[in-house]
Amino acid sequence: MANITDHGKHRILGFDKNYSRDGSVNLDKTEFYVPNEYVFKIAEQHPDLFLPNISVNPYRPDAISELERWANRGARVVKWLPNAMGIDPSDPHCDEFYRKMKDLDLVLLSHGGEEKAVEAKEDQKLGNPLLLRRPLEYGVKVIVAHCAGLGQNEDLESSNKTQTDNFDLFMRLMDDKQYEGLLFGEISAMTQFNRAGKPLTTILAREDLHERLVNGSDYPLPAVNILIRTTNLLKHGYITAGGRYMLNEIYHYNPLLFDFVLKRTLKLPGTNKRLPPSVFMVNAQLGV
């Protein structure tokens, strides 16, 4: 969207390797790797377009120094995908990492819920939103990607450990008063055909939580045509027929712009409620 005047900036994400708890790299579970050096290089080459987000696996031996290194260069956000990186956010081994994040005023952007784009296999349990209570208890600001809107996990706080929608577990955290100002939801991928439904309807309806929502694109997934089905959104009343026609035209021109316009166009079915502009701006509570 560089040809659009007064455009905003996109945060591009590093992606660390899978590490075992003993600090060794597990390449068998590392599907891809995006070094922090690379995202900083791209952001420095195109400062009008990009802001760099780092990714640091807390199990890597140099995790603390890696946080300090990039925070000193201006990094503000740390990206995790626990299901793919082998990270248990509730592991006491991460406590020093969380203390350092708090000291450096770094924000944790962590995937929530089931992961389908990257291989996760038996580690889907690591996407359980309840595991993020530990960094929150250390005062780390946490953004849960996709509002954990896909799949189920054990309700670790229930005596019978029932399988519960990850989204419901995320909402339990959001409704916990002690996490106001600390816990946020990110709305990327929530309009994809396999995610739109209860999670999307709920975040549109819960206006009390809108100031704690931030936008993300989950690019390149918006450009994977099979995931984008505007007929489904029309069928359930999120968009109008005219809106669908317009959105499809935009999609063929620029899928990333389509993703943005779609979210600005969505309405809670049967109402005129939509996401406020603040969701698409720098969040005052996060500073990102």
Side-chain angles (χ1 to χ4, degrees), residues 44-204:
E44 288 167 352
Q45 289 175 345
H46 305 280
D48 59 325
L49 293 177
F50 300 123
L51 294 168
N53 288 4
I54 61 173
S55 182
V56 181
N57 192 313
Y59 295 150
R60 57 188 288 175
D62 63 345
I64 301 302
S65 61
E66 189 74 354
L67 285 180
E68 293 175 329
R69 174 189 179 190
W70 296 109
N72 288 336
R73 289 188 58 179
R76 289 293 326 284
V77 178
V78 178
K79 165 64 178 179
W80 280 4
L81 204 170
N83 321 39
M85 295 177 180
I87 303 167
D88 178 355
S90 70
D91 188 348
H93 186 89
C94 301
D95 290 353
E96 183 182 0
F97 189 89
Y98 295 143
R99 282 192 286 266
K100 181 55 67 173
M101 284 195 68
K102 172 65 174 174
D103 290 344
L104 295 172
D105 194 27
L106 292 170
V107 176
L108 178 60
L109 168 60
S110 185
H111 175 91
E114 187 177 358
E115 170 57 31
K116 287 187 174 293
V118 181
E119 186 60 57
K121 293 183 179 178
E122 72 275 14
D123 291 331
Q124 295 289 5
K125 63 184 179 181
L126 299 179
N128 189 326
L130 297 180
L131 301 179
L132 293 166
R133 283 197 189 272
R134 197 167 192 98
L136 290 166
E137 289 167 357
Y138 276 88
V140 175
K141 292 181 178 179
V142 177
I143 305 171
V144 179
H146 327 303
C147 292
L150 195 63
Q152 293 186 328
N153 259 303
E154 282 189 2
D155 183 349
L156 302 172
E157 298 168 351
S158 168
S159 59
N160 55 9
K161 303 294 189 293
T162 54
Q163 289 290 310
T164 303
D165 288 348
N166 285 307
F167 179 72
D168 291 339
L169 300 177
F170 163 73
M171 289 300 294
R172 181 187 303 172
L173 297 181
M174 288 290 278
D175 286 331
D176 193 328
K177 296 295 184 183
Q178 66 178 319
Y179 299 144
E180 291 181 0
L182 286 178
L183 182 64
F184 301 81
E186 184 261 3
I187 64 170
S188 73
M190 297 188 74
T191 56
Q192 292 173 7
F193 85 95
N194 60 334
R195 290 178 179 269
K198 175 184 173 181
L200 182 59
T201 298
T202 302
I203 66 159
L204 287 167

Side-chain angles (χ1 to χ4, degrees), residues 236-255:
H236 291 94
Y238 294 109
I239 59 175
T240 64
R244 176 176 178 265
Y245 176 82
M246 173 195 69
L247 287 162
N248 288 346
E249 288 290 308
I250 296 173
Y251 186 85
H252 292 301
Y253 170 71
N254 186 326

Side-chain angles (χ1 to χ4, degrees), residues 13-17 32-36 55 79 81 84-85 118:
L13 309 179
F15 198 91
D16 210 349
K17 301 173 184 176
F32 68 96
Y33 170 53
V34 181
N36 296 323
S55 182
K79 165 64 178 179
L81 204 170
M85 295 177 180
V118 181

Side-chain angles (χ1 to χ4, degrees), residues 220-285:
L221 292 187
V224 180
N225 186 266
I226 194 172
L227 298 175
I228 309 302
R229 303 181 185 178
T230 52
T231 52
N232 184 58
L233 296 170
L234 173 62
K235 175 183 176 181
H236 291 94
Y238 294 109
I239 59 175
T240 64
R244 176 176 178 265
Y245 176 82
M246 173 195 69
L247 287 162
N248 288 346
E249 288 290 308
I250 296 173
Y251 186 85
H252 292 301
Y253 170 71
N254 186 326
L256 193 56
L257 179 60
F258 160 88
D259 181 76
F260 174 76
V261 176
L262 170 60
K263 291 170 185 167
R264 294 291 284 121
T265 304
L266 288 171
K267 289 184 179 180
L268 178 66
T271 76
N272 286 318
K273 291 183 179 180
R274 62 177 71 192
L275 294 171
S278 61
V279 175
F280 306 91
M281 300 177 181
V282 173
N283 187 286
Q285 298 180 79

Side-chain angles (χ1 to χ4, degrees), residues 12 37-50:
I12 52 176
E37 290 85 351
Y38 180 71
V39 295
F40 261 81
K41 178 182 178 181
I42 296 300
E44 288 167 352
Q45 289 175 345
H46 305 280
D48 59 325
L49 293 177
F50 300 123

Side-chain angles (χ1 to χ4, degrees), residues 22-35:
D22 64 5
S24 59
V25 177
N26 188 340
L27 292 180
D28 288 338
K29 288 190 174 183
T30 300
E31 190 165 354
F32 68 96
Y33 170 53
V34 181

